[in-house]
Amino acid sequence: MAPALATAFSSMPLSIASSMPSSLTATATATAGATATTTTTAGIVQEYAPWPAGTTAKNITVGQVVGLDRRIEAEMERNGIEAPRGYTVSWHHDARVERSHFGPSHPMKPWRLHLTKNLIFAYGMHRAMRCARIRPATEQEMAAFHAEDYIEFLKTVTPENMQDLNLVKYNLGGDCPVFHGLYDFCTLSAGGSVDAARALNGKFSDIAINWSGGLHHAKKVEASGFCYINDIVLAILELLRFHARVLYIDIDVHHGDGVEQAFWSNERVMTLSFHKYDKDNFFPGTGALDSYGPRPSYRAGSHFSLNVPLKDGIEDADYVWLFKQVVEPTVRIYNPSAVVLQCGADSLGGDRLGCFNLNIEAHGACLGFVKSFGLPLLVLGGGGYTAANVARLWTYETALCIGAHDLRHDLPAHAPNRDVFGPDHTLLPRLSDTTRRFENKNTQQYLFSLVQTVREYLRYVERSPSVHMDYVPPGIDRVRAAVDRELDERFRDSDDGRRQFERGTGTGARGQLAA
């Protein structure tokens, strides 16, 4: 693609606001002429580079912009892209997140968001969605989950002063480096997910997308696995203001440990993670099948954390079958009123840190199945370390969200950075046939056993009382903790004793008022 046209793509003037939402033109104008991208052949490093001299937003003609606008319209018609009927999709994004840089040798490349945005624009999908520029999360919003001293540390630390600070205390350094703009990256990623949740709460949209979110490893007081602020937890807390129960589903290749840990004893959130599990050799080493929540089984949250641990090399048909066999009864029994889906792209075949053999269509089939339940849906990004494939996947899944199921496989000729997707320039390459193909160690017997065990755990959920949201007495968490402690001491294995004790104290150990 010619540099001039590429610049026009990211700097459309407000004179053609009718062809792009104002929030998008504002974002595009803010990034005009700032950066372009080049690729290197040295492994995973893909860096930003300036536009060639003389190519700036100032010398882009109206004719070039109008010409691009017509190409986008033609692409929309060619692919049957239009606003979905009967529901609304919102897309939350910001070019400032794309400019973040973890370091030249770090596998996390926010540049993948830039590629994703360009493909979404090139197909014209932005015209089928309500588009919103991300508002950075405030300290108060992040403190809904994270410790205030941790937030202050992220706000303060820089590459220049980090030698004088205690990085180890908050697990910074190594996988979670300190880089320029770290705090801004955190607030934008978190703000996008919080605002997307608010869009669902306010019925501004039925499906809300934030591809810069999904950072599921971050803990309350520390960074972990390339994640600093857990935007997912913050978004779920926001959803819980209006929804009695929220189901969180994670299809990243890594276990969603940070989200599970945050809601470990909270029955208003059920976490369900499909991931590679190897306690000693694969990060984070958590998410075993029998890790289903607090024990013993009468404790609050027991059987509300479901894990589907997989082995190397799972294939499309097996993965989609397993996903449906687990998700359908989970939704039916738990009966959530909202769903959060983390769409980590490192579960794709050929990912530099992954070990599955999934193609884009299979990954997307999982999103399509969740969408079919018709519940308010928050769609987030996550892992993914082969940037071009991440962009392909999230573009494809954006299309599924808006109901565009028949995209042509050849990428639009006017898409910026189209060379990155060479040599075939297709949206749906065969990723299961890459040189990083893994032997499938998931036998049919093993997959059946996973389904059987998860469904057995769900039997405990069926007996769980529904959530009452009218009034929560002050200090109920302290009362519940005291009840649980005394239960452990006096009625460890007696259901009859438990009911007797609840009637005597006037509160259930699961946080409900006792009858």
Side-chain angles (χ1 to χ4, degrees), residues 257-329:
D257 59 331
V259 183
E260 179 186 87
Q261 185 182 107
F263 298 107
W264 184 249
S265 60
N266 189 332
E267 294 180 1
R268 291 185 61 196
V269 179
M270 174 171 280
T271 61
L272 172 59
S273 179
F274 297 78
H275 52 269
K276 161 66 184 290
Y277 174 70
D278 184 333
K279 181 179 180 181
D280 300 317
N281 301 301
F282 196 80
F283 181 86
T286 55
L289 181 60
D290 62 356
S291 178
Y292 52 72
R295 297 183 184 182
S297 59
Y298 58 69
R299 275 186 171 276
S302 185
H303 299 94
F304 284 77
S305 299
L306 302 179
N307 287 295
V308 185
L310 298 168
K311 303 176 183 179
D312 288 350
I314 192 166
E315 308 279 357
D316 290 354
D318 288 343
Y319 192 91
V320 175
W321 175 85
L322 176 68
F323 185 85
K324 292 181 177 181
Q325 291 294 313
V326 170
V327 170
E328 188 280 328

Side-chain angles (χ1 to χ4, degrees), residues 23-24 192 196 217 285 309 441 500 508:
S23 58
L24 292 186
H217 295 306
K441 298 181 180 179
Q500 176 185 346

Side-chain angles (χ1 to χ4, degrees), residues 48 94-100 110-111 113 134 185 188-189 212:
Y48 290 103
D94 197 301
R96 290 172 290 178
V97 187
E98 305 163 14
R99 302 187 197 122
S100 301
W111 184 59
L113 298 169
I134 291 175
F185 172 82
L188 289 167
S189 173
S212 66

Side-chain angles (χ1 to χ4, degrees), residues 60 72 81 104 139 165 185 195 200 218 434 483 498:
I60 300 302
I72 293 174
I81 294 174
E139 293 182 45
L165 299 175
F185 172 82
D195 278 358
L200 297 176
T434 65
V483 170
R498 173 179 174 78

Side-chain angles (χ1 to χ4, degrees), residues 286-508:
T286 55
L289 181 60
D290 62 356
S291 178
Y292 52 72
R295 297 183 184 182
S297 59
Y298 58 69
R299 275 186 171 276
S302 185
H303 299 94
F304 284 77
S305 299
L306 302 179
N307 287 295
V308 185
L310 298 168
K311 303 176 183 179
D312 288 350
I314 192 166
E315 308 279 357
D316 290 354
D318 288 343
Y319 192 91
V320 175
W321 175 85
L322 176 68
F323 185 85
K324 292 181 177 181
Q325 291 294 313
V326 170
V327 170
E328 188 280 328
T330 301
V331 173
R332 173 168 44 82
I333 293 171
Y334 185 60
N335 193 28
S337 57
V339 179
V340 178
L341 179 62
Q342 198 266 22
C343 298
D346 48 8
S347 48
L348 292 176
D351 188 84
R352 290 184 170 92
L353 298 185
C355 54
F356 291 167
N357 297 324
L358 299 184
N359 287 292
I360 290 172
E361 299 97 314
H363 198 286
C366 297
L367 183 149
F369 186 67
V370 174
K371 179 189 171 189
S372 70
F373 291 100
L375 296 168
L377 176 60
L378 175 57
V379 178
L380 303 174
Y385 308 100
T386 303
N389 292 341
V390 176
R392 287 178 168 114
L393 174 69
W394 291 347
T395 299
Y396 177 74
E397 293 184 334
T398 300
L400 295 180
C401 287
I402 63 175
H405 298 284
D406 300 313
L407 290 188
R408 293 176 179 265
H409 293 188
D410 54 315
L411 296 175
H414 56 273
N417 309 111
R418 195 171 185 269
D419 58 309
V420 172
F421 304 95
D424 52 8
H425 303 100
T426 181
L427 180 67
L428 303 174
R430 289 293 300 173
L431 302 180
S432 59
D433 299 332
T434 65
T435 56
R436 282 186 54 81
R437 180 177 177 80
F438 287 79
E439 176 188 355
N440 187 359
K441 298 181 180 179
N442 300 274
T443 65
Q444 291 296 312
Q445 181 179 3
Y446 178 67
L447 296 178
F448 275 109
S449 71
L450 291 177
V451 173
Q452 183 179 9
T453 302
V454 172
R455 289 187 172 187
E456 179 65 24
Y457 292 159
L458 286 170
R459 291 178 56 196
Y460 291 86
V461 177
E462 287 186 288
R463 297 194 295 270
S464 177
S466 60
V467 176
H468 182 71
M469 297 183 65
D470 291 341
Y471 174 68
V472 178
I476 191 67
D477 288 337
R478 293 192 298 273
V479 175
R480 187 179 70 181
V483 170
D484 281 339
R485 284 195 300 271
E486 190 158 348
L487 277 169
D488 283 342
E489 297 171 2
R490 297 170 52 191
F491 304 100
R492 186 178 301 274
D493 299 315
S494 171
D495 290 339
D496 290 338
R498 173 179 174 78
R499 286 192 291 270
Q500 176 185 346
F501 184 73
E502 288 178 356
R503 286 194 296 270
T505 58
T507 183

Side-chain angles (χ1 to χ4, degrees), residues 178-226:
V178 175
F179 58 89
H180 289 290
L182 168 60
Y183 186 72
D184 291 338
F185 172 82
C186 293
T187 60
L188 289 167
S189 173
S193 295
V194 170
D195 278 358
R198 287 175 177 164
L200 297 176
N201 285 344
K203 302 188 184 304
F204 176 80
S205 59
D206 301 288
I207 300 175
I209 304 170
N210 175 27
W211 293 126
S212 66
L215 305 182
H216 58 174
H217 295 306
K219 309 301 192 299
K220 183 180 181 69
V221 293
E222 68 177 30
S224 177
F226 315 160

Side-chain angles (χ1 to χ4, degrees), residues 32-311:
T35 55
T37 53
T38 61
T39 61
T40 74
T41 58
I44 60 175
V45 181
Q46 293 175 315
E47 304 293 355
Y48 290 103
W51 289 110
T55 306
T56 67
K58 295 180 179 179
N59 58 28
I60 300 302
T61 67
V62 173
Q64 288 173 315
V65 173
V66 173
L68 177 59
D69 188 56
R70 289 173 179 170
R71 293 189 191 187
I72 293 174
E73 289 179 352
E75 199 66 38
M76 292 178 66
E77 183 176 355
R78 181 172 176 243
N79 290 280
I81 294 174
E82 60 182 3
R85 299 177 182 179
Y87 67 98
T88 304
V89 179
S90 62
W91 175 37
H92 304 255
H93 77 104
D94 197 301
R96 290 172 290 178
V97 187
E98 305 163 14
R99 302 187 197 122
S100 301
H101 197 285
F102 281 56
S105 60
H106 199 284
M108 174 62 90
K109 300 293 179 185
W111 184 59
R112 62 196 184 146
L113 298 169
H114 181 74
L115 296 178
T116 303
K117 179 190 70 178
N118 284 346
L119 288 183
I120 290 173
F121 279 172
Y123 277 107
M125 295 182 201
H126 57 286
R127 299 185 185 178
M129 300 183 283
R130 292 180 172 177
C131 303
R133 187 177 183 181
I134 291 175
R135 173 195 57 82
T138 65
E139 293 182 45
Q140 183 179 5
E141 287 171 332
M142 293 186 289
F145 172 62
H146 292 282
E148 293 183 3
D149 61 316
Y150 174 56
I151 297 171
E152 184 62 28
F153 187 85
L154 291 176
K155 186 176 181 180
T156 303
V157 67
T158 67
E160 289 76 22
N161 67 14
M162 66 180 186
Q163 300 298 332
D164 302 323
L165 299 175
N166 186 2
L167 300 183
V168 175
K169 179 180 179 181
Y170 302 108
N171 199 33
L172 266 67
D175 285 349
C176 300
V178 175
F179 58 89
H180 289 290
L182 168 60
Y183 186 72
D184 291 338
F185 172 82
C186 293
T187 60
L188 289 167
S189 173
S193 295
V194 170
D195 278 358
R198 287 175 177 164
L200 297 176
N201 285 344
K203 302 188 184 304
F204 176 80
S205 59
D206 301 288
I207 300 175
I209 304 170
N210 175 27
W211 293 126
S212 66
L215 305 182
H216 58 174
H217 295 306
K219 309 301 192 299
K220 183 180 181 69
V221 293
E222 68 177 30
S224 177
F226 315 160
C227 306
Y228 304 84
I229 292 292
N230 200 314
D231 64 286
I232 306 172
V233 172
L234 298 178
I236 292 175
L237 290 173
E238 185 66 28
L239 289 172
L240 289 174
R241 297 178 60 217
F242 288 81
H243 295 275
R245 288 184 174 184
V246 175
L247 173 62
Y248 170 70
I249 306 174
D250 192 315
I251 55 176
D252 195 284
V253 76
H254 300 95
H255 177 228
D257 59 331
V259 183
E260 179 186 87
Q261 185 182 107
F263 298 107
W264 184 249
S265 60
N266 189 332
E267 294 180 1
R268 291 185 61 196
V269 179
M270 174 171 280
T271 61
L272 172 59
S273 179
F274 297 78
H275 52 269
K276 161 66 184 290
Y277 174 70
D278 184 333
K279 181 179 180 181
D280 300 317
N281 301 301
F282 196 80
F283 181 86
T286 55
L289 181 60
D290 62 356
S291 178
Y292 52 72
R295 297 183 184 182
S297 59
Y298 58 69
R299 275 186 171 276
S302 185
H303 299 94
F304 284 77
S305 299
L306 302 179
N307 287 295
V308 185
L310 298 168
K311 303 176 183 179

